[in-house]
Amino acid sequence: MNAIILAGSTKEDKLPDKAFVKINEKYMVSYVIEALRGCDKIDKIAVVGDPEKLKKVAGIDVIIEQADNIMDNVLKGVEPFKNDKRVLILTCDIPMLTKEAVCDFIEKSEATGADLCYPIVRKEDNLKKFPEAKRTYARVKEGVFTGGNIFYVNPGIIDRLIKDAKQFIAYRKKPWKLGKLLGGKILFLFLIGRLSISHIEKKAQELFNIKGKAIISKYPEIGNDVDKEEDVVMATKYLSQK
């Protein structure tokens, strides 16, 4: 399958031009490319960003000029692959990503037959691997989880999802607001500690007429994004030890 890395820079970024921030003398986006290249399930790699800067980065098959915001970058990134059955969309700021994490996520996603799959990682797994990481967590019936920065998606659903997806992305680190967006029943179940992953999946199907699945990943590297200076310090320390 083909992969699309979102490496565009926006005004909201706390870490400007983060795709080209150097960690141990290597561009951040290069770590993500290497992880994808290491997984034999990946064919072409497209990167959405600044074309002139991306020319300096090895391992890219398709360079796509960035738009002004993340959702337009998704649309532009998917365009060359709109006839694919599924594509992988991921951000450029997960330099700890490994080939094992990529392959595992793809394999589990393929087995679901879903239109959209999103990885979640247990809090205890994340803290065991990255005790210094500051993440947003949400509690559901199955445990406490944080989200990933990678999507397995059917390109055919992108256009009709784009409007609502903007709201979900805006609220992705605000569980309370995300719960309100999902509706009163979901919010109530969340408040009393009875909200399950299947409840959320069913609600997504109702809202968007798609089959969506949460994939529990044992690889915390799939979600520890580097978007602040303190994250760069943590990533530098971790990647120096590999």
Side-chain angles (χ1 to χ4, degrees):
M1 69 185 305
N2 298 308
I4 303 150
I5 302 173
L6 304 177
S9 186
T10 69
K11 295 177 182 177
E12 290 77 28
D13 289 342
K14 295 178 183 177
L15 195 63
D17 227 7
K18 58 185 173 182
F20 303 99
V21 168
K22 284 198 171 181
I23 299 175
N24 297 333
E25 301 306 312
K26 187 187 297 184
Y27 291 128
M28 191 180 320
V29 68
S30 295
Y31 285 98
V32 181
I33 291 169
E34 287 181 7
L36 292 172
R37 285 284 173 222
C39 177
D40 58 10
K41 291 181 174 294
I42 297 297
D43 297 318
K44 290 182 179 179
I45 297 175
V47 183
V48 184
D50 183 323
E52 289 304 311
K53 292 180 179 178
L54 288 172
K55 287 177 183 177
K56 301 182 291 184
V57 181
I60 302 174
D61 297 302
V62 183
I63 292 175
I64 300 168
E65 187 169 4
Q66 67 183 16
D68 294 330
N69 60 77
I70 189 170
M71 293 315 301
D72 285 340
N73 283 341
V74 170
L75 288 172
K76 293 189 76 171
V78 169
E79 182 62 26
F81 311 113
K82 61 184 179 182
N83 295 320
D84 289 11
K85 290 183 177 180
R86 300 290 185 273
V87 294
L88 209 63
I89 300 176
L90 60 166
T91 59
C92 67
D93 58 356
I94 42 176
M96 281 90 82
L97 186 69
T98 64
K99 62 183 180 181
E100 292 83 6
V102 174
C103 285
D104 178 73
F105 176 64
I106 293 173
E107 287 171 4
K108 288 179 177 175
S109 297
E110 287 175 336
T112 68
D115 293 301
L116 176 66
C117 292
Y118 178 66
I120 56 175
V121 178
R122 294 184 184 279
K123 182 177 182 179
E124 56 265 34
D125 290 339
N126 195 63
L127 292 178
K128 183 178 179 180
K129 188 83 174 184
F130 301 110
E132 302 166 51
K134 294 180 180 179
R135 300 288 298 167
T136 299
Y137 295 96
R139 181 179 294 278
V140 291
K141 194 174 180 180
E142 294 84 353
V144 181
F145 294 89
T146 188
N149 286 56
I150 182 169
F151 296 85
Y152 170 95
V153 61
N154 171 5
I157 70 170
I158 293 291
D159 285 340
R160 73 174 187 264
L161 281 180
I162 215 74
K163 181 179 178 181
D164 293 312
K166 288 180 180 178
Q167 288 183 294
F168 274 85
I169 285 177
Y171 294 160
R172 71 190 185 280
K173 294 186 178 181
K174 299 173 182 176
W176 180 267
K177 288 189 175 182
L178 191 58
K180 289 180 70 175
L181 196 63
L182 287 167
K185 180 182 177 181
I186 293 292
L187 181 58
F188 176 70
L189 290 170
F190 176 72
L191 289 172
I192 65 172
R194 295 186 62 187
L195 180 66
S196 69
I197 292 171
S198 63
H199 282 134
I200 299 171
E201 291 170 343
K202 288 175 183 176
K203 186 63 178 181
Q205 186 166 354
E206 290 174 16
L207 288 172
F208 310 122
N209 193 30
I210 63 167
K211 182 180 179 182
K213 296 293 290 184
I215 304 295
I216 298 176
S217 174
K218 62 181 179 181
Y219 296 97
E221 298 91 340
I222 209 164
N224 274 273
D225 51 333
V226 174
D227 56 12
K228 301 181 292 296
E229 288 293 343
E230 63 194 76
D231 299 331
V232 175
V233 173
M234 184 190 78
T236 300
K237 177 182 175 182
Y238 174 78
L239 290 168
S240 296
Q241 298 169 350
K242 292 187 68 176

Coordinates of all heavy atoms in Angstrom, one line a residue, residues 57-131:
V57 N 15.6 15.6 0.9 CA 15.3 14.4 1.8 C 15.3 13.2 0.9 O 14.6 13.1 -0.1 CB 14.0 14.6 2.5 CG1 13.7 13.4 3.4 CG2 14.0 15.9 3.4
A58 N 16.0 12.1 1.3 CA 16.1 10.9 0.6 C 14.9 10.0 0.9 O 14.3 10.1 2.0 CB 17.4 10.1 1.0
G59 N 14.5 9.1 -0.1 CA 13.5 8.1 0.2 C 12.1 8.5 -0.2 O 11.2 7.7 0.0
I60 N 11.9 9.7 -0.8 CA 10.6 10.1 -1.2 C 10.3 9.8 -2.6 O 11.1 10.1 -3.5 CB 10.4 11.6 -1.0 CG1 10.7 12.0 0.5 CG2 9.0 12.1 -1.4 CD1 10.7 13.5 0.8
D61 N 9.1 9.2 -2.9 CA 8.7 8.9 -4.3 C 7.9 10.0 -4.9 O 8.1 10.2 -6.1 CB 7.9 7.6 -4.3 CG 8.7 6.4 -3.8 OD1 9.7 6.1 -4.4 OD2 8.2 5.8 -2.8
V62 N 7.1 10.6 -4.1 CA 6.2 11.7 -4.7 C 6.2 12.9 -3.7 O 6.0 12.7 -2.5 CB 4.7 11.2 -4.8 CG1 3.9 12.3 -5.4 CG2 4.7 9.9 -5.7
I63 N 6.6 14.1 -4.3 CA 6.5 15.3 -3.5 C 5.3 16.1 -3.9 O 5.1 16.3 -5.1 CB 7.8 16.1 -3.7 CG1 9.0 15.4 -3.1 CG2 7.7 17.5 -3.1 CD1 10.4 16.1 -3.4
I64 N 4.5 16.5 -2.9 CA 3.3 17.2 -3.1 C 3.4 18.5 -2.4 O 3.6 18.6 -1.2 CB 2.1 16.4 -2.6 CG1 2.0 15.1 -3.4 CG2 0.8 17.2 -2.8 CD1 1.0 14.1 -2.8
E65 N 3.1 19.6 -3.1 CA 3.2 20.9 -2.5 C 2.1 21.2 -1.4 O 1.0 20.8 -1.6 CB 3.1 22.0 -3.5 CG 3.4 23.4 -3.0 CD 3.6 24.5 -4.1 OE1 3.4 24.1 -5.2 OE2 3.9 25.6 -3.7
Q66 N 2.5 21.7 -0.3 CA 1.6 21.9 0.8 C 0.5 23.0 0.6 O 0.8 23.9 -0.2 CB 2.4 22.2 2.1 CG 3.0 23.5 2.1 CD 3.9 23.8 3.3 OE1 4.2 22.9 4.1 NE2 4.3 25.0 3.5
A67 N -0.6 22.8 1.3 CA -1.6 23.9 1.3 C -1.5 24.6 2.6 O -0.4 24.5 3.3 CB -3.0 23.2 1.2
D68 N -2.5 25.4 3.0 CA -2.4 26.2 4.2 C -2.8 25.6 5.5 O -2.6 26.1 6.6 CB -3.3 27.5 4.0 CG -2.7 28.4 2.9 OD1 -1.5 28.4 2.7 OD2 -3.5 29.1 2.3
N69 N -3.5 24.4 5.4 CA -4.0 23.7 6.6 C -3.9 22.2 6.4 O -3.8 21.7 5.3 CB -5.4 24.2 6.9 CG -6.4 23.8 5.8 OD1 -6.8 22.7 5.7 ND2 -6.7 24.8 5.0
I70 N -4.0 21.5 7.6 CA -3.8 20.1 7.6 C -4.8 19.3 6.7 O -4.5 18.3 6.0 CB -3.8 19.6 9.0 CG1 -3.3 18.1 9.0 CG2 -5.1 19.7 9.7 CD1 -3.0 17.5 10.4
M71 N -6.1 19.8 6.8 CA -7.1 19.0 6.0 C -6.9 19.1 4.5 O -7.1 18.2 3.8 CB -8.5 19.4 6.4 CG -8.9 19.1 7.9 SD -8.4 17.4 8.4 CE -9.3 16.4 7.2
D72 N -6.6 20.3 4.1 CA -6.3 20.5 2.6 C -5.0 19.7 2.2 O -4.9 19.2 1.1 CB -6.1 22.0 2.3 CG -7.4 22.7 2.3 OD1 -8.5 22.0 2.1 OD2 -7.4 23.9 2.4
N73 N -4.1 19.6 3.2 CA -2.9 18.7 2.9 C -3.3 17.3 2.8 O -2.7 16.5 2.0 CB -1.9 18.9 4.0 CG -1.1 20.2 3.9 OD1 -1.1 20.9 2.8 ND2 -0.5 20.7 5.0
V74 N -4.3 16.8 3.6 CA -4.7 15.5 3.4 C -5.4 15.2 2.0 O -5.1 14.3 1.4 CB -5.8 15.1 4.5 CG1 -6.5 13.8 4.2 CG2 -5.1 15.1 5.9
L75 N -6.2 16.2 1.6 CA -6.8 16.1 0.3 C -5.8 16.0 -0.8 O -5.9 15.2 -1.7 CB -7.8 17.2 0.1 CG -9.1 17.2 0.9 CD1 -9.8 18.5 0.8 CD2 -10.0 16.1 0.5
K76 N -4.8 16.9 -0.7 CA -3.8 17.0 -1.8 C -2.9 15.7 -1.7 O -2.5 15.2 -2.8 CB -2.9 18.2 -1.6 CG -3.6 19.5 -1.8 CD -2.7 20.7 -1.9 CE -1.9 20.7 -3.2 NZ -1.1 22.0 -3.3
G77 N -2.7 15.2 -0.6 CA -1.9 14.0 -0.4 C -2.5 12.8 -1.0 O -1.9 11.9 -1.6
V78 N -3.8 12.7 -0.8 CA -4.6 11.5 -1.2 C -4.8 11.5 -2.7 O -5.0 10.4 -3.3 CB -5.9 11.4 -0.4 CG1 -6.9 10.4 -1.0 CG2 -5.7 11.1 1.0
E79 N -4.9 12.7 -3.3 CA -5.2 12.8 -4.7 C -4.5 11.8 -5.7 O -5.2 11.1 -6.5 CB -5.0 14.2 -5.2 CG -5.4 14.5 -6.6 CD -6.9 14.3 -6.9 OE1 -7.7 14.4 -5.9 OE2 -7.2 14.0 -8.0
P80 N -3.2 11.6 -5.6 CA -2.5 10.7 -6.5 C -2.9 9.2 -6.3 O -2.7 8.4 -7.1 CB -1.0 10.9 -6.2 CG -1.0 12.2 -5.5 CD -2.2 12.3 -4.7
F81 N -3.5 8.9 -5.1 CA -3.9 7.6 -4.7 C -5.4 7.3 -4.5 O -5.8 6.4 -3.8 CB -3.1 7.2 -3.4 CG -1.6 7.5 -3.5 CD1 -1.1 8.5 -2.7 CD2 -0.8 6.9 -4.4 CE1 0.2 8.9 -2.7 CE2 0.6 7.2 -4.4 CZ 1.1 8.2 -3.6
K82 N -6.2 8.2 -5.1 CA -7.6 8.2 -4.8 C -8.3 6.9 -5.3 O -9.4 6.5 -4.9 CB -8.3 9.4 -5.4 CG -8.2 9.5 -6.9 CD -8.9 10.8 -7.4 CE -8.7 10.9 -8.9 NZ -9.3 12.2 -9.4
N83 N -7.6 6.1 -6.2 CA -8.2 4.9 -6.7 C -7.6 3.6 -5.9 O -8.0 2.5 -6.2 CB -7.9 4.7 -8.1 CG -8.6 5.7 -9.0 OD1 -9.8 6.0 -8.7 ND2 -8.0 6.2 -10.0
D84 N -6.8 3.9 -4.9 CA -6.3 2.8 -4.1 C -7.4 2.3 -3.2 O -8.3 3.0 -2.8 CB -5.1 3.3 -3.2 CG -3.9 3.6 -4.0 OD1 -3.9 3.6 -5.2 OD2 -2.8 3.8 -3.3
K85 N -7.3 1.0 -2.8 CA -8.3 0.5 -1.8 C -8.1 1.1 -0.4 O -9.1 1.4 0.3 CB -8.2 -1.0 -1.7 CG -8.7 -1.7 -3.0 CD -8.6 -3.2 -2.9 CE -9.1 -3.9 -4.1 NZ -9.1 -5.4 -3.9
R86 N -6.9 1.2 0.0 CA -6.5 1.8 1.3 C -5.2 2.5 1.2 O -4.3 2.1 0.4 CB -6.4 0.8 2.4 CG -7.7 0.0 2.6 CD -8.8 0.8 3.3 NE -10.0 0.0 3.6 CZ -11.0 -0.3 2.8 NH1 -11.0 0.2 1.5 NH2 -12.0 -1.0 3.2
V87 N -5.0 3.6 2.0 CA -3.7 4.3 2.1 C -3.4 4.5 3.5 O -4.3 4.4 4.4 CB -3.7 5.6 1.3 CG1 -3.9 5.5 -0.2 CG2 -4.8 6.6 1.9
L88 N -2.1 4.8 3.8 CA -1.7 5.1 5.1 C -1.4 6.6 5.2 O -0.7 7.1 4.3 CB -0.4 4.3 5.4 CG -0.1 3.9 6.9 CD1 -1.2 3.0 7.4 CD2 1.2 3.3 7.0
I89 N -2.0 7.3 6.1 CA -1.7 8.7 6.3 C -1.1 8.9 7.7 O -1.6 8.4 8.7 CB -3.0 9.5 6.2 CG1 -3.6 9.3 4.8 CG2 -2.7 11.0 6.4 CD1 -5.0 10.0 4.6
L90 N 0.1 9.6 7.7 CA 0.7 9.8 9.0 C 1.4 11.1 9.1 O 1.7 11.8 8.0 CB 1.7 8.7 9.3 CG 2.9 8.4 8.4 CD1 3.9 7.5 9.1 CD2 2.4 7.7 7.1
T91 N 1.7 11.6 10.3 CA 2.4 12.9 10.4 C 3.9 12.7 10.4 O 4.4 11.6 10.6 CB 1.9 13.5 11.7 OG1 2.3 12.7 12.8 CG2 0.4 13.8 11.7
C92 N 4.6 13.8 10.2 CA 6.0 13.8 10.1 C 6.7 13.8 11.4 O 8.0 13.7 11.5 CB 6.5 15.0 9.2 SG 6.2 16.6 10.1
D93 N 5.9 14.0 12.5 CA 6.6 14.3 13.8 C 6.6 13.1 14.8 O 6.5 13.3 16.0 CB 5.9 15.5 14.5 CG 4.4 15.3 14.7 OD1 3.9 14.2 14.2 OD2 3.7 16.2 15.2
I94 N 6.7 11.9 14.2 CA 6.8 10.7 15.1 C 8.1 10.0 14.8 O 8.1 8.8 14.2 CB 5.6 9.8 14.9 CG1 5.1 9.6 13.4 CG2 4.4 10.3 15.8 CD1 4.0 8.6 13.2
P95 N 9.2 10.6 15.1 CA 10.6 10.0 14.7 C 10.9 8.7 15.4 O 11.8 8.0 14.9 CB 11.5 11.2 15.1 CG 10.8 11.9 16.2 CD 9.4 11.9 15.8
M96 N 10.2 8.4 16.5 CA 10.5 7.1 17.1 C 9.8 6.0 16.5 O 10.0 4.8 16.9 CB 10.1 7.2 18.6 CG 11.1 7.9 19.5 SD 10.8 9.7 19.6 CE 9.6 9.7 20.9
L97 N 9.0 6.2 15.5 CA 8.3 5.2 14.8 C 9.2 4.1 14.3 O 10.3 4.4 13.8 CB 7.5 5.8 13.6 CG 6.6 4.9 12.8 CD1 5.4 4.5 13.6 CD2 6.1 5.6 11.5
T98 N 8.7 2.9 14.3 CA 9.6 1.7 13.9 C 8.8 1.0 12.8 O 7.6 1.0 12.7 CB 9.8 0.7 15.0 OG1 8.6 0.2 15.5 CG2 10.5 1.5 16.2
K99 N 9.6 0.2 12.0 CA 9.0 -0.6 11.0 C 8.0 -1.7 11.6 O 7.0 -2.0 11.0 CB 10.1 -1.3 10.1 CG 11.0 -2.3 10.9 CD 12.1 -2.9 10.0 CE 12.9 -3.8 10.8 NZ 14.0 -4.4 10.0
E100 N 8.4 -2.2 12.8 CA 7.5 -3.1 13.4 C 6.2 -2.5 13.8 O 5.1 -3.2 13.6 CB 8.2 -3.7 14.7 CG 9.4 -4.5 14.5 CD 10.7 -3.7 14.3 OE1 10.7 -2.5 14.4 OE2 11.8 -4.3 14.0
A101 N 6.2 -1.3 14.2 CA 4.9 -0.6 14.6 C 4.1 -0.4 13.3 O 2.8 -0.6 13.4 CB 5.2 0.7 15.2
V102 N 4.7 0.0 12.2 CA 4.0 0.2 11.0 C 3.3 -1.1 10.5 O 2.2 -1.1 10.2 CB 4.9 0.8 9.9 CG1 4.2 0.9 8.5 CG2 5.4 2.2 10.3
C103 N 4.2 -2.1 10.4 CA 3.7 -3.4 9.8 C 2.5 -4.0 10.7 O 1.6 -4.5 10.2 CB 4.8 -4.4 9.7 SG 5.9 -4.1 8.3
D104 N 2.7 -3.9 12.0 CA 1.7 -4.4 13.0 C 0.4 -3.7 12.8 O -0.7 -4.3 12.8 CB 2.2 -4.3 14.4 CG 1.2 -4.8 15.4 OD1 1.0 -6.0 15.6 OD2 0.6 -3.9 16.1
F105 N 0.4 -2.4 12.7 CA -0.8 -1.6 12.5 C -1.5 -1.9 11.2 O -2.7 -2.1 11.2 CB -0.4 -0.1 12.6 CG -1.6 0.8 12.3 CD1 -2.7 0.8 13.2 CD2 -1.7 1.6 11.2 CE1 -3.8 1.6 12.9 CE2 -2.7 2.4 10.9 CZ -3.8 2.4 11.8
I106 N -0.7 -2.1 10.1 CA -1.3 -2.4 8.8 C -1.9 -3.8 8.9 O -3.1 -4.0 8.4 CB -0.3 -2.3 7.7 CG1 0.2 -0.9 7.5 CG2 -0.8 -2.9 6.4 CD1 1.3 -0.7 6.5
E107 N -1.2 -4.7 9.4 CA -1.8 -6.1 9.5 C -3.1 -6.2 10.3 O -4.0 -6.8 9.8 CB -0.7 -7.0 10.1 CG 0.5 -7.3 9.2 CD 1.6 -8.1 9.9 OE1 1.4 -8.4 11.1 OE2 2.6 -8.3 9.3
K108 N -3.1 -5.5 11.4 CA -4.3 -5.6 12.2 C -5.5 -4.8 11.5 O -6.6 -5.2 11.6 CB -4.0 -5.0 13.6 CG -3.2 -5.9 14.5 CD -2.9 -5.2 15.8 CE -2.1 -6.2 16.7 NZ -1.7 -5.6 18.0
S109 N -5.1 -3.7 10.8 CA -6.1 -2.9 10.1 C -6.7 -3.7 9.0 O -7.9 -3.7 8.7 CB -5.5 -1.6 9.6 OG -5.1 -0.8 10.7
E110 N -5.9 -4.4 8.2 CA -6.3 -5.1 7.0 C -7.3 -6.2 7.5 O -8.3 -6.5 6.8 CB -5.1 -5.8 6.4 CG -4.3 -4.8 5.6 CD -3.0 -5.5 5.0 OE1 -2.5 -6.5 5.5 OE2 -2.5 -4.9 4.0
A111 N -7.1 -6.8 8.6 CA -7.9 -7.9 9.1 C -9.3 -7.4 9.5 O -10.2 -8.3 9.5 CB -7.3 -8.5 10.4
T112 N -9.5 -6.1 9.7 CA -10.9 -5.6 10.0 C -11.8 -5.4 8.8 O -13.0 -5.4 9.0 CB -10.7 -4.3 10.8 OG1 -10.2 -3.3 9.9 CG2 -9.8 -4.4 12.0
G113 N -11.2 -5.1 7.7 CA -12.0 -4.7 6.5 C -12.6 -3.3 6.7 O -13.5 -3.0 5.9
A114 N -12.1 -2.5 7.6 CA -12.7 -1.2 7.9 C -12.3 -0.2 6.9 O -11.3 -0.3 6.2 CB -12.3 -0.8 9.3
D115 N -13.1 0.9 6.8 CA -12.8 2.1 6.0 C -11.7 2.9 6.6 O -11.0 3.6 6.0 CB -14.0 2.9 5.8 CG -15.1 2.2 4.9 OD1 -14.8 1.8 3.8 OD2 -16.2 2.0 5.4
L116 N -11.7 2.9 8.0 CA -10.8 3.8 8.7 C -10.4 3.1 10.0 O -11.2 2.6 10.7 CB -11.5 5.1 9.1 CG -10.8 6.1 9.9 CD1 -9.6 6.7 9.2 CD2 -11.7 7.2 10.4
C117 N -9.1 3.1 10.2 CA -8.5 2.5 11.4 C -7.6 3.5 12.0 O -6.8 4.2 11.3 CB -7.8 1.2 11.1 SG -8.8 -0.2 10.6
Y118 N -7.6 3.5 13.4 CA -6.8 4.5 14.1 C -6.2 3.7 15.3 O -6.9 3.0 16.0 CB -7.7 5.6 14.6 CG -7.1 6.6 15.5 CD1 -6.1 7.5 14.9 CD2 -7.5 6.8 16.8 CE1 -5.5 8.5 15.7 CE2 -6.9 7.8 17.6 CZ -5.9 8.6 17.0 OH -5.3 9.6 17.8
P119 N -4.9 3.9 15.5 CA -4.3 3.2 16.7 C -4.4 3.9 18.0 O -4.4 5.1 18.1 CB -2.8 3.2 16.2 CG -2.6 4.5 15.5 CD -3.9 4.7 14.8
I120 N -4.6 3.1 19.0 CA -4.6 3.6 20.4 C -3.6 2.8 21.2 O -3.4 1.6 20.9 CB -6.0 3.6 21.0 CG1 -6.6 2.2 21.0 CG2 -6.9 4.6 20.3 CD1 -8.0 2.1 21.7
V121 N -3.0 3.4 22.2 CA -2.0 2.7 23.0 C -2.3 2.8 24.5 O -2.7 3.9 25.0 CB -0.6 3.4 22.8 CG1 0.5 2.8 23.6 CG2 -0.2 3.3 21.3
R122 N -2.2 1.7 25.2 CA -2.5 1.8 26.6 C -1.5 2.7 27.4 O -0.3 2.7 27.1 CB -2.4 0.3 27.2 CG -3.5 -0.6 26.7 CD -3.4 -2.0 27.3 NE -4.4 -2.9 26.7 CZ -5.7 -2.9 27.1 NH1 -6.1 -2.1 28.0 NH2 -6.5 -3.8 26.5
K123 N -2.0 3.4 28.4 CA -1.2 4.3 29.1 C 0.0 3.6 29.8 O 1.1 4.1 29.7 CB -2.1 5.0 30.2 CG -1.3 6.0 31.1 CD -2.2 6.7 32.1 CE -1.5 7.7 32.9 NZ -2.3 8.4 33.8
E124 N -0.2 2.4 30.3 CA 0.9 1.7 31.0 C 2.0 1.3 30.0 O 3.2 1.4 30.3 CB 0.4 0.5 31.7 CG -0.4 -0.5 30.9 CD -1.9 -0.3 30.9 OE1 -2.4 0.8 31.1 OE2 -2.6 -1.4 30.9
D125 N 1.6 1.0 28.7 CA 2.6 0.7 27.7 C 3.4 1.9 27.3 O 4.6 1.8 27.1 CB 1.9 0.1 26.5 CG 1.3 -1.3 26.7 OD1 1.8 -2.0 27.7 OD2 0.4 -1.8 26.0
N126 N 2.7 3.0 27.2 CA 3.3 4.3 26.8 C 4.3 4.7 27.9 O 5.5 5.1 27.6 CB 2.3 5.4 26.6 CG 2.9 6.5 25.8 OD1 3.4 6.4 24.7 ND2 2.9 7.7 26.4
L127 N 3.9 4.7 29.2 CA 4.7 5.2 30.2 C 5.9 4.2 30.5 O 7.0 4.7 30.9 CB 3.9 5.3 31.5 CG 2.9 6.4 31.5 CD1 2.1 6.4 32.8 CD2 3.5 7.8 31.3
K128 N 5.7 3.0 30.2 CA 6.8 2.0 30.3 C 8.0 2.3 29.3 O 9.1 2.3 29.7 CB 6.3 0.6 30.1 CG 7.4 -0.5 30.3 CD 6.8 -1.9 30.2 CE 7.9 -3.0 30.4 NZ 7.3 -4.3 30.2
K129 N 7.6 2.7 28.1 CA 8.5 2.9 27.1 C 9.0 4.4 27.1 O 10.2 4.6 26.9 CB 7.9 2.7 25.7 CG 8.8 2.8 24.5 CD 9.5 1.5 24.3 CE 10.4 1.4 23.1 NZ 11.0 0.2 22.8
F130 N 8.1 5.3 27.4 CA 8.5 6.7 27.4 C 8.0 7.4 28.7 O 7.0 8.1 28.7 CB 7.9 7.4 26.2 CG 8.3 6.9 24.9 CD1 7.4 6.2 24.1 CD2 9.6 7.0 24.4 CE1 7.8 5.6 22.9 CE2 10.0 6.5 23.2 CZ 9.1 5.8 22.4
P131 N 8.6 7.2 29.8 CA 8.2 7.7 31.1 C 8.2 9.3 31.1 O 7.4 9.8 31.9 CB 9.2 7.1 32.1 CG 10.4 6.7 31.3 CD 9.8 6.3 30.0

